[in-house]
């Protein structure tokens, strides 16, 4: 595959050079062979520039966006997202208050103070946490409370005013955003703040910005980089060499950042160790994401199943009533069948009596006919002898 990035980054090594170094180092060879073939190719494409830089690898993004080393880069990104020029005043140390399960899902997390005393918390997440709104609101409230306590402490001997408390911004960028954001497939930057129903304006101090990098990437394929924010989002979301070349040609200031990452790639042993850690986190995050998705899917099915369960319950009750009714009808049918059997027996007896009577009548009729025949015979005999017919004839 032709490597178009060699023209811009001559320090890139060839596939053969990297494989030779790996095969001549037993430790690296064992590590390399433990990876799936897909991961091996991904590593080689990354280090040689064939596929381009995935800046959201943990060791990449922390190298080029360290707010203490490169405050101007962070200033520019925050300025573009807030749509106003900002200046970094202070970088706060991480207080390690994150929940342990959450730390693996965070690519980067830093807290800074701007020159207007506003506090900005910036997170870049591998996979969006469930309930992103509630979670961000809790962290924002925690930051706001810390800000309040600091102001109260500083003004312990002076008159305290709530006006001294500065805005708190929460900025979250998702490599893979949650389902809520995919309901707006054409929007990738979402800004939130409290508003009244009357139009009345009060500064409620808390602001939120959510950026879905995966949705940006889908929307901006083959559309070009039109503004500086597009440049930053392309830098954070795309590892396509064509996108990288287009970005550094339009905004050359991104080239040193890519250069830093490719300089890191010169140390194969170091970068393999970091890449191996990335794969571990990626697998862990994938499992967590699948669990979250299954839990959400299960919840949706439970919600869908609820009315069916209620309907099924109603049908069971109806079925129970029908069974009871059917049982009553069966009992009635049984009684009627017994009654019919009794009537049939009576009818049969009656018919047998009728048959007997008919037979008796037939017997009597035959006897009468026989008697009549005999009388006629005797009468005829009497005529021949000159005797009179009997009076009973």
């Amino acid at each position: 595959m032709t490597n178009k990035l060699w023209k811009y980054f001559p320090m890139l090594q060839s596939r053969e050079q990297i494989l030779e170094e790996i095969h001549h180092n037993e430790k690296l060879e064992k590590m390399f062979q433990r990876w799936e073939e897909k991961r091996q190719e991904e590593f080689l494409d990354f280090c040689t520039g064939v596929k381009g830089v995935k800046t959201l690898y943990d060791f990449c993004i922390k190298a080029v966006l360290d707010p203490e080393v490169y405050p101007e880069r962070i200033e520019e990104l925050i300025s573009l997202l807030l749509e106003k020029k900002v200046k970094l005043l202070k970088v706060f140390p991480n207080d390690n208050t994150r929940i342990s399960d959450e730390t693996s899902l965070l690519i980067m997390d830093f807290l800074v103070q701007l020159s207007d005393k506003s506090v900005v918390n910036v997170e870049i997440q591998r996979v969006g946490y469930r309930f992103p709104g509630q979670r961000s609101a809790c962290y924002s409230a925690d930051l706001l409370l810390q800000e309040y306590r600091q102001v109260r402490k500083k003004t312990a001997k002076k008159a305290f005013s709530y006006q001294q408390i500065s805005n708190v911004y929460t900025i979250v960028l998702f490599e893979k955003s949650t389902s809520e954001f995919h309901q707006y497939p054409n929007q990738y930057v979402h800004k939130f703040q409290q508003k009244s129903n009357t139009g009345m304006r009060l500064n409620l101090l808390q602001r939120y910005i959510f950026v879905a990098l995966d949705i940006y990437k889908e929307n901006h394929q083959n559309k070009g980089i039109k503004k500086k924010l597009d440049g930053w989002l392309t830098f954070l979301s795309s590892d396509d060499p064509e996108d990288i070349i287009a970005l550094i040609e339009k905004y050359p200031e991104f080239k040193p950042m890519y250069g830093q990452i490719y300089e890191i790639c010169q140390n194969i042993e170091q970068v393999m160790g970091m890449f191996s850690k990335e794969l571990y986190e990626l697998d862990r995050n994938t499992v967590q994401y699948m669990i979250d998705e299954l839990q959400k899917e299960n919840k949706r099915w439970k919600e869908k199943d609820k009315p069916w369960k209620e309907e099924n319950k109603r049908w069971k009750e109806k079925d129970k009533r029908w069974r009871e009714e059917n049982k009553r009808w069966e009992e009635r049918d049984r009684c009627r069948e017994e009654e019919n059997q009794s009537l049939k027996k009576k009818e049969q007896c009656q018919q047998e009596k009728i048959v007997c009577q008919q037979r008796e009548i037939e017997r009597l009729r035959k006897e009468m006919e026989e008697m009549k025949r005999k009388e006629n015979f005797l009468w005829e005999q009497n005529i021949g002898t000159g005797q009179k017919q009997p009076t009973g004839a």
Side-chain angles (χ1 to χ4, degrees), residues 29 154 166 169 174 239 391:
E29 177 68 17
K154 289 178 183 177
S166 303
Y169 294 91
F174 303 102
D239 60 356
T391 56

Side-chain angles (χ1 to χ4, degrees), residues 139-152:
Y139 281 115
S140 176
D142 185 53
L143 287 175
L144 187 59
L145 184 59
Q146 290 181 37
E147 177 74 6
Y148 166 77
R149 287 171 176 166
Q150 288 175 4
V151 172
R152 287 298 302 235

Side-chain angles (χ1 to χ4, degrees), residues 48 53 116 183 203 238 258 288 302 306 320 333 344 385:
T48 58
V53 174
D116 64 356
Q183 294 175 19
N203 184 9
S238 180
Y258 286 114
Q288 184 63 43
K302 280 184 177 179
K306 188 177 179 180
K320 184 180 178 181
D333 287 344
K344 280 183 179 180
T385 58

Side-chain angles (χ1 to χ4, degrees), residues 89-283:
L89 182 66
K90 182 179 180 182
V91 179
F92 295 102
N94 272 332
D95 58 6
N96 295 319
T97 58
R98 299 298 185 196
I99 299 170
S100 58
D101 285 342
E102 292 189 350
T103 55
S104 66
L105 300 180
L106 281 172
I107 297 173
M108 195 170 190
D109 174 29
F110 57 85
L111 186 65
V112 297
Q113 187 178 48
L114 305 181
S115 56
D116 64 356
K117 304 298 183 180
S118 297
V119 175
V120 182
N121 178 215
V122 179
E123 287 185 2
I124 303 177
Q125 298 178 10
R126 299 176 190 277
V127 178
Y129 299 116
R130 297 181 66 195
F131 315 113
Q134 295 94 318
R135 176 186 171 280
S136 297
C138 289
Y139 281 115
S140 176
D142 185 53
L143 287 175
L144 187 59
L145 184 59
Q146 290 181 37
E147 177 74 6
Y148 166 77
R149 287 171 176 166
Q150 288 175 4
V151 172
R152 287 298 302 235
K153 187 176 180 180
K154 289 178 183 177
T155 59
K157 298 180 180 179
K158 302 177 184 177
F160 167 77
S161 170
Y162 283 102
Q163 191 175 11
Q164 296 170 288
I165 302 175
S166 303
N167 290 330
V168 172
Y169 294 91
T170 301
I171 299 175
V172 183
L173 298 96
F174 303 102
E175 182 178 11
K176 184 178 289 186
S177 56
T178 55
S179 57
E180 295 93 332
F181 295 92
H182 289 267
Q183 294 175 19
Y184 299 85
N186 299 317
Q187 301 293 329
Y188 46 87
V189 178
H190 302 267
K191 299 183 178 183
F192 295 83
Q193 67 183 67
Q194 294 97 326
K195 290 185 178 180
S196 75
N197 64 323
T198 60
M200 180 181 177
R201 293 181 177 274
L202 291 175
N203 184 9
L204 299 179
L205 299 174
Q206 292 168 290
R207 310 282 191 274
Y208 306 87
I209 300 175
F210 298 96
V211 182
L213 294 172
D214 51 346
I215 296 176
Y216 166 80
K217 189 176 179 180
E218 290 173 5
N219 274 269
H220 278 256
Q221 285 180 344
N222 304 319
K223 289 185 179 179
I225 300 166
K226 298 178 181 178
K227 53 186 179 180
K228 195 61 174 289
L229 181 59
D230 291 346
W232 271 102
L233 300 186
T234 299
F235 176 76
L236 293 171
S237 65
S238 180
D239 60 356
D240 187 332
E242 297 289 347
D243 289 340
I244 294 172
I245 292 169
L247 176 58
I248 61 180
E249 286 187 348
K250 181 153 188 173
Y251 297 109
E253 55 268 39
F254 284 97
K255 186 177 179 181
M257 289 190 262
Y258 286 114
Q260 279 180 258
I261 296 171
Y262 284 130
E263 287 294 340
I264 294 172
C265 291
Q266 301 303 298
N267 187 333
I268 298 300
E269 183 172 358
Q270 179 187 15
V271 80
M272 280 187 72
M274 292 186 291
F275 188 79
S276 188
K277 184 180 177 182
E278 286 286 342
L279 296 183
Y280 169 78
E281 293 295 348
L282 180 63
D283 291 340

Side-chain angles (χ1 to χ4, degrees), residues 324-356:
E324 291 172 352
E325 186 68 19
N326 188 52
K327 189 176 180 181
R328 288 195 294 269
W329 279 105
E330 285 179 351
E331 184 65 24
R332 289 175 187 174
D333 287 344
R334 188 183 64 78
C335 293
R336 287 179 180 176
E337 183 65 24
E338 290 177 354
E339 188 177 344
N340 286 337
Q341 291 295 330
S342 177
L343 289 171
K344 280 183 179 180
K345 286 181 180 179
K346 287 181 181 180
E347 185 180 357
Q348 187 177 2
C349 291
Q350 190 68 24
Q351 286 178 348
E352 288 175 355
K353 284 182 181 180
I354 291 171
V355 170
C356 290

